[in-house]
Amino acid sequence: INTWTTRIDNYLAGSPLAGYGRVFAEASWNTGTDPRWSPAISCIESTKGRYCAGSYNAWGLSAVGGGWMSFGSWTEAINYHVSYLYKYYGPTLTPEAARKYCPPTWQDWYNKVASEMNRI
């Protein structure tokens, strides 16, 4: 967890998500999800939390019936997103997961997220 915390913190430095590397690492450890996946998606979806769809929603998660989900803190949002990834898409980025997560432009999204994951 410490190694991933440092790597994720370095990746998120200067962003609104800076300092939350441990939260990402622990949430990933607890679910069996690749610790790079959620931070990489946050980069593609909201420039690492700079342009959120709702409060603390760096991933553009929609609420059922329209609108955007909002969270009370980054910790709550990160834990939710990491468990959401595992539950609906599996433990890491795959073409199949990308098709489900971002169907209209899945291949472009997949390539961008994979590139960001490689930077972490």
Side-chain angles (χ1 to χ4, degrees):
I1 289 178
N2 289 336
T3 299
W4 282 114
T5 296
T6 301
R7 290 175 70 174
I8 295 167
D9 278 339
N10 288 338
Y11 174 73
L12 297 171
S15 79
L17 286 166
Y20 286 91
R22 186 163 207 78
V23 177
F24 280 108
E26 287 177 351
S28 296
W29 176 265
N30 291 334
T31 61
T33 305
D34 187 321
R36 303 169 302 157
W37 199 13
S38 185
I41 293 172
S42 78
C43 180
I44 300 307
E45 301 294 329
S46 69
T47 315
K48 301 176 188 173
R50 284 189 181 94
Y51 306 104
C52 291
S55 63
Y56 303 104
N57 185 347
W59 306 273
L61 290 166
S62 298
V64 174
W68 297 104
M69 292 183 77
S70 291
F71 299 96
S73 68
W74 283 122
T75 298
E76 177 187 342
I78 291 164
N79 282 306
Y80 180 89
H81 188 252
V82 171
S83 65
Y84 177 87
L85 285 175
Y86 184 79
K87 181 177 180 180
Y88 293 103
Y89 305 100
T92 194
L93 177 67
T94 63
E96 294 77 22
R99 281 185 193 99
K100 288 196 298 188
Y101 195 95
C102 191
T105 58
W106 75 268
Q107 194 158 18
D108 181 58
W109 184 88
Y110 173 87
N111 291 336
K112 288 176 181 176
V113 172
S115 176
E116 290 303 312
M117 288 175 73
N118 288 333
R119 294 183 60 215
I120 301 173

